[in-house]
Amino acid sequence: MFECKNISISHGDRKYINGLNIRINSNEIWTISAPSGKGKTTLLKYLAGFKEDYFSYSGQLYLDGVDITQTLPS
C-alpha cells in the first residue's frame, strides 16, 4: 500500500497541491486528471522520489506503513 498524508507542493505564493490525502492499495490503478499547469507531473515526480529544487514540499509518504518521506533526496 502507498499512502500520502497532507501532501502540499508550492512555489513562491502559488500552491500546486494543497493537503492531498490518498491511499493506493497494491491491486488498484489510479488516474490523475487536471488542466495543464496544475501540478500533475510535479506530484508524480515527487511520489516517485524526485524533488525539484525550486518547489517546497510538505507531508508524509508511506510505503507499506513505513514513512519514506525522509529517504527522498533533498
Side-chain angles (χ1 to χ4, degrees):
M1 176 178 52
F2 185 75
E3 188 171 8
C4 303
K5 290 188 178 180
N6 204 30
I7 299 298
S8 294
I9 302 173
S10 61
H11 174 64
D13 292 338
R14 185 171 181 188
K15 288 200 178 245
Y16 289 91
I17 306 294
N18 188 25
L20 176 70
N21 293 293
I22 57 173
R23 179 180 293 161
I24 303 171
N25 294 307
S26 60
N27 60 344
E28 294 179 327
I29 297 173
W30 285 55
T31 61
I32 297 175
S33 162
S36 179
K38 298 300 180 185
K40 299 176 302 292
T41 300
T42 302
L43 172 64
L44 291 174
K45 284 180 181 179
Y46 179 59
L47 298 181
F50 300 102
K51 288 172 139 181
E52 297 177 278
D53 292 338
Y54 44 89
F55 287 104
S56 297
Y57 303 88
S58 64
Q60 291 78 39
L61 300 174
Y62 295 88
L63 183 60
D64 293 330
V66 177
D67 187 348
I68 61 167
T69 312
Q70 300 306 316
T71 64
L72 298 177
S74 298

